[in-house]
């Protein structure tokens, strides 16, 4: 079986190429297409439903989908006996289509493209050109051009279109290195027409024309792309294109190669004795002027043997800054600048010997090289002696990898990008990168996407946000955590979909569950970069990273971290600081820690995917217990200090992970604070969760407490029918577990309901029963005395009311509850001050008033 989707869908079975088994029904092609673009992955029923019907699924959507799956299996079985049954498999929560890589043109394209990219990075330009050409030849048109697209196919189409363009650009670049510039001119003229805003293609055309002896046409090509950019986007060409233009103006012979010349460098050819092998500078580089100035200053002024490291979390823009600095330092290093990626394949860093070999090859040494690290190191040292040369070492993984590569010769420097600060290298000066400031992030979005939200990058950088697009760009930047890599992913979405506005993108990114996937475009995969950054940490650090996602989304101290991790304070401090060193957490001067927003989303995802259920439950329970201890120790004031959003969030987490007793205990601890702050929405949320937790834990006493508390809330909100039901349910639950205290509290609640209804006899009978079951020194007895005083007032017996409010005051004083004591004193003062003129309203509970009926 063969499946082709890079164009119209085509399925070839055992009968050979002359017979097509492609489904005629569009809905079947939609389902099959969604499974094919995610071949080998489980595609959920929800995703397939969204793909088929978007926001308007029929009532029978799941049944209809099952019918479509059955029809697809039958059709695939027709193409090859048993194929559908064996390869289209039900896997919760959906279906998976299992194919060999060579059965699908999409996977063949991705394999060829990735291999071609690696060959290009290794300097094997002939192989890179051949592989990328094979990859491009697999395309017969837009992805699944005969099939309606929903969210999954739409996202895949954008990603693969970008990958196809990248394959073309890399093939052209390899052909230029092979001296095929004359053959490329016509093709590049067509490509620049098709992609008028892709500056890299215009640069390739200019270089091809110049190498073919057509300098004037090369300069005219620059004028044309500049005119396009100024007219359409009000921006100038990027620094890389402008530098190439200047070199062509000067007739720089360093740009020339002979026909079919041997490979020399990565993106720029070299002239004899002055090797330059740097990636092109980023045309949208912005927002790092202070850090860039510091790097350039350190490179220029640091003593011999010193190197500069740019450190920061994955995706923060370390490579872009290092490349920009290397280009700006050209005058300081007249003998050359060499760039080597020390981890060209994710998770497979170069050994020191491999890195030294690449450096020497980039420097132009084409002869035989030694194999031993020490001999390669000596060869490099000999080459560097007497030169002023810069080594740019990208994606360093460790100090041990770096040590043999660092130059010691006078005038030579190394510029390193690395996640961790290389603390063991005494000669390193580190510049740490943080995510961009909001306005710089917005400027980068506007520059890369070409949204037209501002007249130029400088204008975007300096002016205040204006208009809905400007505000939406700021929101998108915030949803990306101001991380440059994520901003580029978001900008690529806007550039690839002209019908989208920044508001469209902002709406799609608001759903935190899908945000990381929504930022994947072509080869730019934010989640993949963050996952690789996490994978570089130790197993213990990775587990701590996952578990800390259980904490509220806010800065946290060592106490909550220790609870989640199940460690003592010292051990927790060591674990958290290890994550800071690994750039997986951020620390502030106040001793607090927090996740970058996108790393938090990744931690939540990894927690659900990799952490055992019992481990997550225990950690969530420990956290809830720790917060319950804090609230219990400090009383209602702790609720305000910690924040209700935080506390209810911890409760939700404990409940979601099945830590029932811990969730119930935290809900209990919040009762006083929720009532004293009249936090009705949080009260309802917290104690509804607490009630469910009590029932799941089969804790009848806890169930009674939560029901009575929810009854108090309903009474305050004047939902009298509901509160009566809740109080009666609380009384039944309390009787069922012989909890006289809670039974009495529920009866007091019913007394308040009867008083509201004017049923004074019923209220009196309930009150007598309640007083008989409540301890003498308890807040519950205070409530019963309060209700008795109110009953006396309603019956006109002010002397009894005074006596009971006095008893309330004395009990509150003994309990050291200032809030209840102040309430009792207010009630006594009103009775004393206006004994013969009843007030129009009565304070029936602290802060809760009831209007008296007119006589």
């Amino acid at each position: 079986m063969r499946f082709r989707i890079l164009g119209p869908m085509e399925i070839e079975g055992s009968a050979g190429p002359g017979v097509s088994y492609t489904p005629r029904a569009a809905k079947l092609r939609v389902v099959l297409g969604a499974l094919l673009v995610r071949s080998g992955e489980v595609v959920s029923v929800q995703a397939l439903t969204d793909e088929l019907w978007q926001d308007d699924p029929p009532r029978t959507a799941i049944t209809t989908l099952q019918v479509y799956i059955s029809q697809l299996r039958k059709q695939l079985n027709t193409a090859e006996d048993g194929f559908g049954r064996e390869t289209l498999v039900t896997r919760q929560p959906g279906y998976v289509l299992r194919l060999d890589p060579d059965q699908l043109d999409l996977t063949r394209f991705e394999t060829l493209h990735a291999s071609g990219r690696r060959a290009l990075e290794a300097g094997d330009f002939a192989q890179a050109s051949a592989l990328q050409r094979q990859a491009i030849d697999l395309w017969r048109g837009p992805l699944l051009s005969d099939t309606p697209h929903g969210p999954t196919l739409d996202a895949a189409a954008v990603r693969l279109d970008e990958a196809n363009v990248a394959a073309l650009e890399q093939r052209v670049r390899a052909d230029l290195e092979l001296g095929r510039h004359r053959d490329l001119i016509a093709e590049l003229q067509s490509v620049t027409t098709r992609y008028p805003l892709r500056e890299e293609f215009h640069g390739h055309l200019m270089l091809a024309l110049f190498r073919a002896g057509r300098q004037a046409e090369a300069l005219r090509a620059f004028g044309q792309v500049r005119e396009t950019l100024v007219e359409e986007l009000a921006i100038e060409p990027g620094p890389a294109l402008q530098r190439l233009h200047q070199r062509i103006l000067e007739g720089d012979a360093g740009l020339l190669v002979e026909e079919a010349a041997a490979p020399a460098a990565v993106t720029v050819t070299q002239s004899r004795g002055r090797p330059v092998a740097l990636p092109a500078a980023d045309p949208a580089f912005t927002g790092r002027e202070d850090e860039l100035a510091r790097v350039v200053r350190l490179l220029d002024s640091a003593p011999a043997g010193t190197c500069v490291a740019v450190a920061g979390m994955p995706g923060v823009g370390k490579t872009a800054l290092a490349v920009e600095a290397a280009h700006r330092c050209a005058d300081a290093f007249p003998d050359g600048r060499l760039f080597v990626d020390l981890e060209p394949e994710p998770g497979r860093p170069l050994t020191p010997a491999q890195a030294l070999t690449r450096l020497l090859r980039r420097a132009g040494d084409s002869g035989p090289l030694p194999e031993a690290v020490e001999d390669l190191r000596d060869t490099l040292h000999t080459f560097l002696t007497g030169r002023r040369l810069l080594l740019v070492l990208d994606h360093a993984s460790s100090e041990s990898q770096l040590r043999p590569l660092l130059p010691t010769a006078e005038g030579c420097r190394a510029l390193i990008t690395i996640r961790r600060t290389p603390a063991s290298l005494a000669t390193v000066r580190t510049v740490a990168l943080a995510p961009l400031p909001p306005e710089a992030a917005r400027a980068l979005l506007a520059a890369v996407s070409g949204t037209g939200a501002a007249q130029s990058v400088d204008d975007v950088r300096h002016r205040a946000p204006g208009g809905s697009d400007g505000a939406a760009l700021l929101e998108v930047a915030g949803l990306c955590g101001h991380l440059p890599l994520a901003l580029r992913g978001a900008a690529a979405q806007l550039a690839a979909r002209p019908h989208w506005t920044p508001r469209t993108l902002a709406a799609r990114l608001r759903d935190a569950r899908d945000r990381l996937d929504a930022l994947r475009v072509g080869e730019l995969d934010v989640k993949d970069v963050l996952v690789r950054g996490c994978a570089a940490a130790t197993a213990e650090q990775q587990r701590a990273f996952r578990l800390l996602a259980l904490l509220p989304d806010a800065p946290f101290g060592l106490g909550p971290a220790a609870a989640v991790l199940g460690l003592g304070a010292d051990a927790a401090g060591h674990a958290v600081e290890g994550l800071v060193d690994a750039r997986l957490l951020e620390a502030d001067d106040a001793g607090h820690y927090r996740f970058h927003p996108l790393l938090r989303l990744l931690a939540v995802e990894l927690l659900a995917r990799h952490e055992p259920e019992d481990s997550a439950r225990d950690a969530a329970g420990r956290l809830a217990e720790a917060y319950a201890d804090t609230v219990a120790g400090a009383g209602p004031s702790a609720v305000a200090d910690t924040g209700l959003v935080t506390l209810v969030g911890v409760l939700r987490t404990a409940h979601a992970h099945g830590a029932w007793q811990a969730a119930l205990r935290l809900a209990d601890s919040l009762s006083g604070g929720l009532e004293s702050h009249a936090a009705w929405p949080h009260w309802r949320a917290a104690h509804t969760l607490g009630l469910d937790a009590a029932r799941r834990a089969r804790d009848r006493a806890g169930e009674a407490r939560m029901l009575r508390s929810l009854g108090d809330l309903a009474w305050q909100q004047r939902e009298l029918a509901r509160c009566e039901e809740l109080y009666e349910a609380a009384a039944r639950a309390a009787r069922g577990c012989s909890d006289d205290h809670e039974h009495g509290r529920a009866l007091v609640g019913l007394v308040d309901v009867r008083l509201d209804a004017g049923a004074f006899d019923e209220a009196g009978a309930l009150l007598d029963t309640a007083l008989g079951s409540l301890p003498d020194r308890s807040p519950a007895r205070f409530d019963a005395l309060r209700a008795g005083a109110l009953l006396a007032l309603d019956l006109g017996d002010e002397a009894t009311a005074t006596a009971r409010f006095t008893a309330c005051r004395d009990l509150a004083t003994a309990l050291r509850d200032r809030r209840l004591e102040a309430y009792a004193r207010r009630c006594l003062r009103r009775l004393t001050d206006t004994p013969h003129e009843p007030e129009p309203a009565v304070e029936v509970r602290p802060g809760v008033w009831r209007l008296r009926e007119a006589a």
Side-chain angles (χ1 to χ4, degrees), residues 616-637:
R617 181 183 64 245
D618 292 347
R622 291 192 298 269
L623 181 65
E625 293 281 1
Y627 275 99
D629 289 341
T630 299
V631 175
S637 62

Side-chain angles (χ1 to χ4, degrees), residues 374-420:
E374 295 78 8
D375 295 334
L376 287 165
R377 173 80 178 110
D378 291 343
T379 304
L380 179 65
H381 180 73
T382 300
F383 172 79
L384 295 177
T385 301
R387 285 182 165 89
R388 294 172 61 192
L389 188 140
L390 175 66
L391 305 182
V392 183
L393 307 175
D394 194 31
H395 295 140
S397 60
S398 65
E399 286 90 335
S400 60
Q401 182 194 39
L402 279 172
R403 280 193 185 91
L405 310 178
L406 301 181
T408 57
E410 183 73 35
C412 293
R413 301 284 184 274
L415 175 56
I416 303 159
T417 70
I418 191 169
R419 279 190 294 271
R420 299 169 180 263

Side-chain angles (χ1 to χ4, degrees), residues 117-126 128 170 172-179 204 207 211 247 254-257 261-272 274-280 336-340 358-365:
R117 182 177 66 252
R118 289 193 294 270
L120 185 65
E121 290 168 349
D124 190 347
F125 302 118
Q170 290 167 23
V172 169
R173 197 183 336 159
D175 284 346
L176 279 171
E177 294 289 353
L178 293 168
H204 294 330
L207 187 57
R211 288 179 177 175
R247 294 182 70 183
L255 293 175
L256 299 176
V257 296
V266 178
T267 57
V268 181
T269 59
Q270 65 182 49
S271 58
R272 181 176 297 276
R274 189 180 184 273
V276 178
L278 287 176
R337 291 155 292 150
L338 302 177
F339 178 96
V340 171
R358 291 200 180 195
L359 272 174
L360 290 164
R361 294 300 186 205
R362 295 282 166 84
D365 192 333

